[in-house]
Amino acid sequence: MPTPETTARIEQLIWVLIYAGLFAVVVGLASLSASPAAAWTLMTVGGVLVAAGAILIWVRSRFEERTMPGKTSSSHTSGKQDT
């Protein structure tokens, strides 16, 4: 179970990777006619960054939620099922 600090850092890293990757893709597209080799490099690196961010979203979704001591999660508040 990760600590809340670890979870917060991963969430920050996710957005940094996604936004930096999208920015690199856009800059690569804009510079395609001026320098095709550099543009394709930027677009490839940007795509890899976006993919890494997407993978981290999946990793984050696999974390178990840490609850406060003495509190229960909303899905386990009672043993009865709603009918």
Side-chain angles (χ1 to χ4, degrees):
M1 222 185 294
T3 64
E5 293 82 16
T6 303
T7 302
R9 285 185 183 181
I10 288 178
E11 289 174 355
Q12 289 174 346
L13 183 60
I14 287 169
W15 292 112
V16 168
L17 288 172
I18 289 174
Y19 283 122
L22 290 175
F23 182 73
V25 169
V26 169
V27 171
L29 286 171
S31 64
L32 193 57
S33 62
S35 177
W40 279 106
T41 302
L42 271 173
M43 289 189 292
T44 303
V45 169
V48 169
L49 291 176
V50 171
I55 290 169
L56 280 179
I57 289 174
W58 177 78
V59 168
R60 170 62 182 97
S61 74
R62 307 304 296 166
F63 285 170
E64 293 181 11
E65 290 296 324
R66 185 175 278 199
T67 58
M68 297 294 290
K71 292 189 177 185
T72 58
S73 63
S74 60
S75 62
H76 302 294
T77 55
S78 69
K80 298 178 184 177
Q81 292 182 348
D82 294 332
T83 55

